[in-house]
Amino acid sequence: MHTDTESCVRAVRSKDARFDGWFFTAVRTTGIYCRPSCPAVPPKPENMTFHPSAAAAQQAGYRACKRCRPDATPGSPQWNERADLTARAMRLIADGVVDREGVPGLAARLGYSTRQIERQLHAELGAGPLALARAQRAQTARLLIETSELPMADIAFAAGFASIRAFNETVREVFALAPTELRTRAGRGRAGARPGARTDARPGPAPGGAAVRDRPAPRPGAGLPGPGSAPAPATLTLRLPYRAPLHPDNLFGHLAATAVPGVEEWRDGAYRRTLRLPYGHGVVTLRPGPGHVACRLSLTDPRDLTGAISRCRRLLDLDADPVAVDELLRADPVLAPLVGKAPGRRVPRTVDAAEFAVRAVLGQQVSTAAARTHAARLVRAHGDPVDDPEGGGLTHLFPAPEALAGLDPEKLALPRSRRTTLTTLVAALASGDLALDPGSDWRSARERLAALPGFGPWTVETIAMRALGDPDAFLPTDLGLRRAAAACDLPATPAALTARAAAWRPWRAYAVQYLWATDDHPINHMPTG
């Protein structure tokens, strides 16, 4: 979109927040870049240039606006809507793959050469994978500086910087402030805010003041911690922004109704769960709020912050573009009243695609309650025990495929055919023959899943919708969807319903959410307790 100057200028002049993340506005006369909805007086059109990413604006020599904080916008919805190479790469970069494995690791996961990846990202985003990952590190550092009491050396390490010098230089270059100045400025802003006031809908301090680490970490010596070491565990509170509107009922209701005991729970008006992360594990508490989702993260290693935030955003589908989705679905006279009643429905997704694939198999042809029971048995027998830092009911991480690869199928309280389906799936996941991650190619993953025994269209499309994040995944054989279709005078047979749903593409997964919500099932209602 950044090449359409006229449309970009109109969006900036109207301060249209719908375009935040789609492009960034750089101002030649000030040397800063902003989000389209920046509250400052719009610059003259001749002084504006437009960039497809924050990294591209930074590479062009522009600094982030201190007022609208363009680096903290919701991610571009393109990366969750598309299945091409650029979108897959961006999903993996957001998950921290470049920080952990470098550009060669990113290229290996995508099945391309590093040169191809560099060329493609430069062509579309104006920056390569290293610059994109650097921009993300800068935002992670800013988040930790402003919302925690971590020492600066620990923050540099947790944000993925290779040295204190690189950390200091990047923060100064991107934000035009030293790290200590950023912290001081954030402290003044909190002191001047009304108690409980929400200043904006970006990651940052929770309403009512800063949320800081529960236990201060020991300050390391000069430089970063040594090899193999890591900062102490941290607990942070932040806001996850989203594009309005967001209707939370089916989103949180689904997660609460399908929660696996020990791994997930609904407690005190919030969804909580354990997270298996690259450097350790964590516990997250998510609560919908006005203009944001309040997120409390307890991490055994703060280096997992970027990946944890990315997974939480993916879980709640927070980078979706509800205006575009609802506009298309409203064109259907059957869906129009459903969208008008509760606009902004999201697709409940997952923090771990492999975990969800296992749970999808356990849920084949059984009730929600039975699926939870089967999953809880696996968790107790094979999951890694953890402590709940808030004294709740979270006791385990969901078992990794490697832990399930050696399970005895005779001990599974499942029909024999489903035992075969489950053991074949976990063997493929554990061996790497089947890869399910943010960078997965949706078509290829579907083909590999369909080739496994016991994987019919319902299971494959369920995994595509909730684990892979395909916004066009469709479940015409789902009993709940067929009942809803019949109640709305839509075709009820799978073939006829699929033909009728062609007009809903590429948002059929969202149409499913609106149709499911016509049923008065607990899964469609956010718990009140």
Side-chain angles (χ1 to χ4, degrees):
M1 179 179 177
H2 73 287
T3 58
D4 186 348
T5 301
E6 185 177 340
S7 295
C8 290
V9 169
R10 282 201 304 268
V12 172
R13 283 178 166 172
S14 61
K15 304 183 189 300
D16 196 332
R18 293 177 300 171
F19 294 99
D20 288 355
W22 282 94
F23 70 91
F24 297 83
T25 306
V27 186
R28 294 188 181 97
T29 51
T30 62
I32 65 170
Y33 72 95
C34 304
R35 62 172 80 189
S37 66
C38 182
V41 176
K44 295 178 180 179
E46 59 267 25
N47 292 329
M48 299 183 201
T49 60
F50 303 104
H51 299 268
S53 65
Q58 291 169 18
Q59 281 202 317
Y62 292 94
R63 303 185 306 275
C65 173
K66 297 184 180 71
R67 188 169 181 183
C68 72
R69 298 168 60 118
D71 55 301
T73 60
S76 171
Q78 297 178 77
W79 315 138
N80 289 334
E81 295 168 8
R82 291 164 38 181
D84 57 21
L85 175 60
T86 298
R88 293 167 58 206
M90 289 301 291
R91 290 196 288 268
L92 287 172
I93 292 170
D95 202 50
V97 167
V98 171
D99 290 333
R100 296 192 300 271
E101 304 172 21
V103 178
L106 174 69
R109 284 178 178 248
L110 294 170
Y112 288 82
S113 70
T114 56
R115 184 177 180 181
Q116 287 172 307
I117 300 295
E118 293 270 5
R119 185 169 59 243
Q120 184 69 25
L121 292 181
H122 269 289
E124 186 161 353
L125 296 171
L130 286 176
L132 292 162
R134 176 179 178 267
Q136 181 169 274
R137 282 195 297 274
Q139 167 56 15
T140 300
R142 181 178 199 165
L143 183 64
L144 288 169
I145 289 167
E146 295 184 340
T147 67
S148 82
E149 292 177 347
L150 281 171
M152 293 299 176
D154 280 3
I155 289 175
F157 187 70
F161 288 96
S163 69
I164 290 287
R165 180 178 179 180
F167 164 69
N168 286 329
E169 289 178 350
T170 298
V171 170
R172 282 182 177 275
E173 181 180 337
V174 173
F175 304 117
L177 291 171
T180 53
E181 291 173 322
L182 268 180
R183 178 166 281 176
T184 300
R185 191 171 184 270
R188 286 199 303 266
R190 289 193 294 271
R194 300 188 312 275
R198 173 176 155 263
T199 56
D200 56 18
R202 57 172 171 75
V212 300
R213 293 185 54 247
D214 288 343
R215 296 184 298 274
R219 181 179 293 276
L224 294 176
S229 65
T235 297
L236 300 146
T237 299
L238 54 143
R239 294 173 174 176
L240 303 181
Y242 56 76
R243 291 176 180 83
L246 180 142
H247 189 77
D249 281 14
N250 74 302
L251 179 60
F252 284 90
H254 195 115
L255 296 173
T258 59
V260 176
V263 175
E264 304 166 284
E265 69 174 2
W266 182 266
R267 180 170 172 241
D268 297 333
Y271 168 78
R272 306 181 69 239
R273 71 155 293 150
T274 59
L275 301 170
R276 184 182 297 278
L277 298 165
Y279 295 107
H281 67 266
V283 170
V284 65
T285 300
L286 297 164
R287 179 180 286 105
H292 69 280
V293 173
C295 172
R296 185 170 177 83
L297 275 167
S298 295
L299 303 172
T300 57
D301 191 323
R303 288 177 296 176
D304 282 319
L305 177 64
T306 297
I309 291 174
S310 174
R311 292 170 198 210
C312 291
R313 295 191 64 80
R314 206 158 57 235
L315 171 71
L316 301 179
D317 196 18
L318 295 185
D319 288 319
D321 185 351
V323 174
V325 172
D326 290 353
E327 182 179 8
L328 184 141
L329 298 184
R330 275 196 184 98
D332 189 302
V334 173
L335 296 182
L338 305 181
V339 175
K341 181 180 178 181
R345 291 195 184 274
R346 300 298 209 271
V347 179
R349 294 203 165 119
T350 183
V351 297
D352 188 316
E355 172 192 315
F356 184 82
V358 170
R359 291 171 61 172
V361 170
L362 296 176
Q364 289 176 332
Q365 299 178 339
V366 298
S367 67
T368 300
R372 294 177 68 221
T373 299
H374 289 315
R377 288 172 182 159
L378 275 189
V379 167
R380 288 193 297 270
H382 303 280
D384 298 325
V386 298
D387 293 324
D388 188 336
E390 298 185 13
L394 304 181
T395 59
H396 289 79
L397 299 175
F398 195 89
E402 294 76 12
L404 296 175
L407 60 80
D408 182 357
E410 297 302 320
K411 293 183 179 179
L412 296 172
L414 299 170
R416 185 170 297 277
S417 61
R418 203 171 311 150
R419 294 181 206 168
T420 301
T421 301
L422 181 61
T423 55
T424 305
L425 169 67
V426 296
L429 289 169
S431 67
D433 291 340
L434 173 64
L436 300 177
D437 62 32
S440 295
D441 179 274
W442 296 339
R443 181 184 58 80
S444 175
R446 277 182 168 93
E447 292 173 353
R448 290 177 179 272
L449 287 167
L452 298 176
F455 274 78
W458 182 89
T459 308
V460 171
E461 287 301 300
T462 296
I463 293 171
M465 178 187 292
R466 295 197 56 202
L468 300 178
D470 184 352
D472 201 39
F474 193 56
L475 306 169
T477 61
D478 180 78
L479 180 59
L481 183 61
R482 293 174 65 186
R483 278 203 304 259
C488 295
D489 293 326
L490 290 168
T493 63
L497 184 57
T498 299
R500 177 69 170 75
W504 306 336
R505 306 193 77 166
W507 309 119
R508 292 185 300 177
Y510 294 89
V512 169
Q513 306 307 313
Y514 281 108
L515 288 167
W516 270 342
T518 61
D519 187 10
D520 190 27
H521 189 284
I523 210 167
N524 293 316
H525 302 286
M526 190 164 61
T528 56

